[in-house]
Amino acid sequence: MAFFRKNKKNEAPVNVPEHIAIIMDGNGRWAKKRGLPRTAGHRAGAEAFRRIANYSRSIGLKYLTVYAFSTENWKRSEEEVSGIMKLLGRYLEEALADMEKNHVRFCFFGDLSRLSPELQTLCRDAQERSRCYDEVQVNFCLNYGGRDELVRAARTFAAQVAEGKCGPEDLTEEAFSNYLYSAGVPDPELIIRPSGEMRTSNFLLWQSAYSEYVFMDVLWPDFGPEQLDAAIEEYNRRNRRFGGT
Ligand code: IPE
Ligand code: IPE
Ligand code: MG
């Protein structure tokens, strides 16, 4: 169900989608512009995430899915990857405190088994402890890859067929969705990519079949409520046909 609110100028009501996904890109360039190490960009990016998670809650968004670390991001230097992982650990601890105050439900999409045992525990804890909260649900994509997600889904289904629990004919689009990390979550109506890049970089390959994309020329650490409003306004100008007329 869509949520209606007045925009800043109190003009026409703005239709806030139920589910927005964001590729949080541009941290490195943000840091470079300032002559700072890339890790400083990731720290600023984590702050931007906190701002947007809180704002999403205030505008009545139901699901916010954020791309934080991809299956391809392991290709980066050991120094950068370990910096990001350390930051994630610290941030998740703070997010846990915030979450209990704000009733945000946390979910993780991705293969967590490659993370440190401490980080895995933190993620599991956050997911477990926030299960009952009913404000915005944040799906945090960590070691997430769209292709990896599809292969895992296919493998799980194939294993069930091999065990005789179901047959190939049982696989419908709906049934397949339930093998994904996003099982039970509606597809995002809107996917935002800041940083000026115009590609999906392996994000939500299945779920984005009919999403509206908004690419923005802002680096993620500079992204705030104003930019989210602008993306929602752009989304509202789109004519979604879903193959119809
Ligand atoms: C996004 O920012 C964060 C991650 C992918 C982990 P980048 O680090 O990709 O920033 P740019 O694209 O180099 O500016
Ligand atoms: C996409 O950004 C992944 C995340 C934001 C987590 P990248 O910076 O990794 O994407 P490419 O390399 O520009 O495609
Ligand atoms: Mg990038």
Side-chain angles (χ1 to χ4, degrees):
M1 166 81 83
F3 180 93
F4 288 86
R5 72 187 166 93
K6 297 278 184 190
N7 69 14
K8 278 195 297 294
K9 293 182 212 107
N10 253 0
E11 290 161 347
V14 170
N15 178 7
V16 177
E18 187 175 31
H19 183 179
I20 296 179
I22 306 180
I23 301 174
M24 304 191 291
D25 192 25
N27 297 349
R29 277 163 282 175
W30 183 92
K32 192 167 178 215
K33 260 175 50 186
R34 288 164 177 74
L36 297 169
R38 294 181 63 85
T39 328
H42 295 311
R43 203 170 304 125
E47 275 305 331
F49 161 67
R50 210 212 308 250
R51 260 196 320 269
I52 287 303
N54 282 328
Y55 184 63
S56 298
R57 194 179 139 253
S58 76
I59 60 172
L61 191 71
K62 288 268 176 276
Y63 300 93
L64 173 70
T65 301
V66 290
Y67 203 7
F69 194 87
S70 75
T71 46
E72 286 73 35
N73 287 147
W74 298 104
K75 291 179 196 156
R76 297 185 180 201
S77 73
E78 149 72 28
E79 189 196 355
E80 180 169 356
V81 170
S82 70
I84 292 174
M85 292 300 155
K86 247 191 247 139
L87 204 61
L88 276 170
R90 208 171 326 132
Y91 250 85
L92 281 174
E93 277 177 3
E94 287 174 24
L96 271 169
D98 258 12
M99 176 187 88
E100 309 217 298
K101 198 167 69 209
N102 298 335
H103 286 195
V104 171
R105 190 164 56 233
F106 253 90
C107 267
F108 291 87
F109 291 1
D111 174 17
L112 302 185
S113 73
R114 199 168 161 187
L115 308 178
S116 73
E118 296 78 29
L119 207 47
Q120 288 184 46
T121 308
L122 223 50
C123 294
R124 261 196 299 272
D125 251 27
Q127 198 157 294
E128 215 35 63
R129 278 162 62 188
S130 67
R131 199 178 291 278
C132 55
Y133 295 150
D134 54 2
E135 299 266 344
V136 61
Q137 171 170 326
V138 172
N139 303 310
F140 204 85
C141 301
L142 204 46
N143 190 21
Y144 172 89
R147 287 186 170 178
D148 181 63
E149 179 182 37
L150 293 169
V151 168
R152 275 161 200 280
R155 216 183 275 150
T156 309
F157 177 71
Q160 291 182 350
V161 173
E163 284 170 34
K165 288 186 181 151
C166 49
E169 64 287 353
D170 294 319
L171 195 61
T172 58
E173 289 186 8
E174 199 195 344
F176 192 73
S177 299
N178 286 322
Y179 289 99
L180 302 175
Y181 293 122
S182 57
V185 174
D187 292 340
E189 294 100 317
L190 168 62
I191 300 182
I192 303 169
R193 180 162 194 163
S195 90
E197 306 297 354
M198 300 208 208
R199 52 176 170 263
T200 67
S201 301
N202 204 8
F203 190 43
L204 304 180
L205 298 183
W206 173 275
Q207 300 86 340
S208 63
Y210 264 104
S211 302
E212 294 297 329
Y213 277 96
V214 173
F215 296 101
M216 299 175 84
D217 240 334
V218 55
L219 300 172
W220 173 247
D222 293 326
F223 197 98
E226 199 184 315
Q227 284 70 27
L228 190 65
D229 278 354
I232 294 172
E233 276 160 30
E234 168 62 23
Y235 164 80
N236 275 287
R237 285 192 288 270
R238 302 280 174 90
N239 181 4
R240 306 187 77 200
R241 285 185 293 275
F242 301 100
T245 48

